Amino acid sequence: EADASTSGDKTAINTWASWVQEQGKQPWFSFIELTTLDDFNDYHSKSGNAENDLISNYQQSVQSADNELAELYKQIQTLGLSDSTVIVITSNHGTEFNETDTNTWGSSTNYSRYQLEVPMIIHWPGKVAGQYNHRTSHLDLSVTLLQDLFGVSSNPADYSSGRNLFDERARR
């Protein structure tokens, strides 16, 4: 059975924290991919009902992911980074549990909103907190970082199919 205290994600978080300390005062950029939710089949519920077991395994992995994110936040606080670091939390896909009644489960089985819609949380020091509900794409993240963090003034169409996440105009 999966154990968050010995997970690869926990190791990644600790390795990342050590790496950040080694950077000293120089600017840095990093990416951490936590895989607990992708690996929810590592959890082993055995109720005898495959559907209930799948959902239970997923819920257990969500709880583990929450604990891992709490550990990451703790490391960010301990390292004194929260006032100077942009933090983006998102996912590459959703997970469906046959909500469309088409016998589709998990991800990569259709283009339903259950598999396509994901949360995105951005902690951005100096920006006013708010909730945005307009349609976006993960392609927008690179444009947003390049424009608003790195000061790139080139037309986004020259390097991306996305646009700034904070641009709330309607899109196709």
Side-chain angles (χ1 to χ4, degrees):
E1 187 164 310
D3 178 4
S5 66
T6 60
S7 76
D9 290 351
K10 178 83 168 163
T11 301
I13 291 166
N14 291 331
T15 301
W16 171 83
S18 295
W19 176 84
V20 167
Q21 289 175 315
E22 293 169 8
Q23 304 315 301
K25 297 290 182 191
Q26 70 182 6
W28 52 269
F29 179 91
S30 68
F31 171 86
I32 301 174
E33 180 176 9
L34 304 180
T35 60
T36 295
L37 286 176
D38 280 341
D39 299 334
F40 69 89
N41 288 326
D42 290 348
Y43 295 82
H44 301 291
S45 294
K46 293 188 174 50
S47 72
N49 179 305
E51 181 179 325
N52 288 342
D53 289 347
L54 184 68
I55 293 168
S56 176
N57 293 350
Y58 182 77
Q59 290 170 338
Q60 288 178 60
S61 71
V62 167
Q63 181 64 48
S64 290
D66 286 348
N67 292 336
E68 290 165 358
L69 286 173
E71 177 60 29
L72 183 57
Y73 296 144
K74 181 180 166 189
Q75 293 281 3
I76 288 166
Q77 292 293 325
T78 299
L79 295 166
L81 300 174
S82 60
D83 291 337
S84 62
T85 305
V86 174
I87 302 164
V88 178
I89 299 169
T90 192
S91 180
N92 60 345
H93 61 78
T95 301
E96 182 171 357
F97 295 97
N98 198 32
E99 288 90 346
T100 57
D101 291 325
T102 56
N103 199 29
T104 52
W105 302 82
S107 62
S108 303
T109 57
N110 69 31
Y111 293 106
S112 73
R113 69 182 192 94
Y114 304 100
Q115 295 185 39
L116 295 178
E117 292 179 358
V118 297
M120 181 177 281
I121 300 166
I122 302 175
H123 166 80
W124 196 305
K127 287 204 182 275
V128 176
Q131 182 171 332
Y132 296 85
N133 294 310
H134 61 281
R135 186 177 303 224
T136 63
S137 165
H138 278 51
L139 299 172
D140 300 340
L141 183 58
S142 62
V143 173
T144 306
L145 293 174
L146 288 167
Q147 288 180 336
D148 293 4
L149 187 62
F150 300 120
V152 171
S153 59
S154 300
N155 183 340
D158 292 342
Y159 59 86
S160 177
S161 296
R163 66 183 199 197
N164 197 298
L165 283 166
F166 302 111
D167 179 350
E168 296 184 72
R169 290 177 296 160
R171 69 192 308 160
R172 296 186 301 145

